[in-house]
């Protein structure tokens, strides 16, 4: 389109275009727009119709502001989104860079964000993200979505992964539910900011095989996915926290960490200086593969639930208590683990 206005009104799937170039004028997508290659140097593309681009995407000038569902896949090179105006849709934005990096230098707002890259997947300070759910995966690079802390609002992380030795980082100014597995071999950082009520709820596996895991929340942190009493009853969904180095948790003043499901700590050293409750009918903590819990002088670990064995440690695992270890649950309970209580540590039953 070199001048005037072109309106695309066919429904998605009814046809395709090999390529489109916008130099000036306006392209208005009303029904659906499917094409292989897209290039824009000026002019405007807008409209509420769905857009699917399957091979190459270039936007170096003009206004690219679709409001319908958007799917962009590039076969070679990097996929870069630039601009200060958000791309906004209540549907899905799916971005896939099969041949390189995915760089988010522009705000994105969607019901669902699906981000996939062959190389690094990252944002700059302009590229804030707002979505009900997010998945983020890099095959050969890192995932670092922590550059826009004041504006990003991600409510659910459905899963994500970074490549071997690479990190996975996500920061959001809302509460965050982690419902799918997250893998960052070089390290994982999940952080909620900007409000004491913004909790961090981890219901799935976290794995950092050569790094550390940090959970940082202004509100409470919950670990594990509890079952239901029924009828019919369902068991807690087991999830494992695996780190080659430290597992570090931070919460806001007056906030706590609550183990509400079946959680296993593997190989990691949990550095705790907060209040931890192992609670409810399903809360329990298992230590395996030389896991080590360092309950520091300011730390409190309290068993408030009804599990018969709320703490279970395999051979080679240790709980070092320099703070307070306290039982306030109901019924008979067994702590089946190696516990050291040096001078300064307190155990109450």
């Amino acid at each position: 389109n070199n001048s005037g206005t072109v309106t695309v009104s066919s429904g998605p799937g009814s046809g395709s275009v090999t390529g489109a170039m916008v130099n000036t004028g306006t392209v208005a997508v009303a029904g659906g727009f499917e094409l292989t290659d897209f290039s824009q140097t000026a002019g405007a593309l807008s409209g509420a119709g769905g857009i699917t681009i399957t091979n190459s995407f270039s936007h170096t000038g003009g206004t690219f502001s679709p409001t319908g569902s958007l799917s962009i896949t590039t076969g070679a090179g990097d996929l870069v989104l630039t601009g200060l105006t958000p791309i906004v849709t209540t549907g899905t934005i799916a971005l896939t860079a099969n041949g390189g990096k995915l760089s988010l230098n522009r705000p994105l707002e969607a019901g669902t964000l699906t981000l996939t890259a062959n190389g690094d997947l990252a944002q700059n300070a302009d590229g804030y993200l707002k979505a009900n759910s997010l998945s983020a995966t890099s095959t050969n690079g890192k995932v670092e979505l922590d550059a826009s802390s004041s504006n990003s609002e991600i409510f659910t992380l459905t899963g994500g992964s970074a490549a071997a030795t690479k990190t996975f980082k996500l920061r959001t100014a809302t509460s965050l539910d982690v419902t799918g597995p997250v893998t960052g071999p070089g390290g994982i950082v999940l952080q909620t900011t900007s409000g004491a009520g913004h909790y961090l709820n981890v219901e799935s596996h976290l794995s950092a095989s050569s790094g550390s895991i940090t959970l940082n929340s202004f509100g409470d942190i919950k670990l594990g996915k509890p079952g239901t009493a029924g009828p019919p009853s369902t068991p807690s969904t087991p999830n494992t926290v695996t780190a080659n180095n430290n597992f570090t948790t931070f919460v806001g003043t007056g906030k706590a960490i609550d183990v509400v499901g079946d959680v296993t700590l593997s190989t990691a050293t949990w550095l705790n200086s907060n209040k931890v409750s192992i609670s409810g009918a399903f809360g329990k903590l298992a230590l395996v593969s030389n896991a080590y819990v360092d309950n520091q002088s300011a730390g409190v670990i309290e068993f408030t639930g009804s599990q018969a064995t709320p703490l279970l440690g395999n051979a080679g695992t240790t709980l070092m208590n320099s703070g307070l270890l306290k039982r306030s649950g109901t019924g008979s309970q067994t702590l089946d683990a190696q516990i050291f209580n040096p001078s300064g540590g307190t155990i109450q039953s």
Side-chain angles (χ1 to χ4, degrees), residues 213-251:
I213 296 175
T214 299
L215 303 182
N216 193 340
S217 175
F218 267 56
D220 295 325
I221 293 175
K222 285 188 178 182
L223 300 175
K225 184 176 182 179
T228 61
S233 63
T234 60
S236 172
T237 302
N239 61 292
T240 301
V241 176
T242 304
N244 186 57
N245 297 312
N246 293 334
F247 174 49
T248 307
T249 47
F250 301 98
V251 294

Side-chain angles (χ1 to χ4, degrees), residues 59-131:
H59 174 250
T60 58
T63 302
F64 181 80
S65 299
T67 57
S69 293
L70 174 65
S71 175
I72 301 175
T73 300
T74 55
D78 299 336
L79 173 54
V80 181
L81 289 187
T82 59
L84 298 178
T85 302
I87 297 176
V88 180
T89 176
T90 57
T92 297
I93 296 177
L95 305 176
T96 303
N98 283 325
K101 300 176 182 179
L102 175 53
S103 298
L104 306 175
N105 304 334
R106 178 177 187 164
L108 300 176
E109 301 182 19
T112 300
L113 276 174
T114 302
L115 308 176
T116 307
N118 183 53
D120 291 343
L121 196 172
Q123 64 182 168
N124 70 4
D126 295 326
Y128 72 77
L129 307 176
K130 293 186 178 181

Side-chain angles (χ1 to χ4, degrees), residues 23-215:
N23 294 326
T24 186
T26 300
V27 175
V29 182
F33 196 18
E34 297 185 11
L35 64 158
T36 305
D37 304 302
F38 178 86
S39 175
Q40 182 178 5
T41 59
L45 183 144
S46 61
I51 298 176
T52 300
I53 300 166
T54 60
N55 182 64
S56 70
F57 174 85
S58 174
H59 174 250
T60 58
T63 302
F64 181 80
S65 299
T67 57
S69 293
L70 174 65
S71 175
I72 301 175
T73 300
T74 55
D78 299 336
L79 173 54
V80 181
L81 289 187
T82 59
L84 298 178
T85 302
I87 297 176
V88 180
T89 176
T90 57
T92 297
I93 296 177
L95 305 176
T96 303
N98 283 325
K101 300 176 182 179
L102 175 53
S103 298
L104 306 175
N105 304 334
R106 178 177 187 164
L108 300 176
E109 301 182 19
T112 300
L113 276 174
T114 302
L115 308 176
T116 307
N118 183 53
D120 291 343
L121 196 172
Q123 64 182 168
N124 70 4
D126 295 326
Y128 72 77
L129 307 176
K130 293 186 178 181
N132 292 329
S133 66
L134 165 72
S135 66
T137 300
S138 173
T139 305
N140 293 299
K142 62 187 178 182
V143 176
E144 294 192 349
L145 300 175
D146 61 342
S148 183
S149 60
S150 61
N151 292 316
S152 284
E153 297 180 0
I154 302 298
F155 293 93
T156 303
L157 177 62
T158 59
S161 63
T165 75
K166 303 296 184 178
T167 54
F168 186 103
K169 298 180 181 180
L170 175 64
R171 184 183 301 166
T172 177
T174 62
S175 295
L176 178 65
D177 291 306
V178 182
T179 61
V182 178
T183 302
I188 296 172
V189 179
L190 301 176
Q191 183 176 6
T192 67
T193 65
S194 303
H198 291 163
Y199 63 79
L200 175 56
N201 181 21
V202 179
E203 296 184 347
S204 193
H205 305 294
L206 303 178
S207 178
S209 57
S210 59
S212 298
I213 296 175
T214 299
L215 303 182

Side-chain angles (χ1 to χ4, degrees), residues 240-245 247 263-271 285-294 311-320 337-338 340:
T240 301
V241 176
T242 304
N244 186 57
N245 297 312
F247 174 49
V263 177
T264 297
L265 184 68
S266 177
T267 68
T269 296
W270 185 358
L271 303 174
L285 177 64
L287 310 179
V288 301
S289 301
N290 299 311
Y292 185 93
V293 177
D294 183 3
L311 177 66
L312 177 65
N314 285 0
T317 63
T318 300
L319 190 157
M320 179 68 70
Q338 180 173 250
F340 288 96

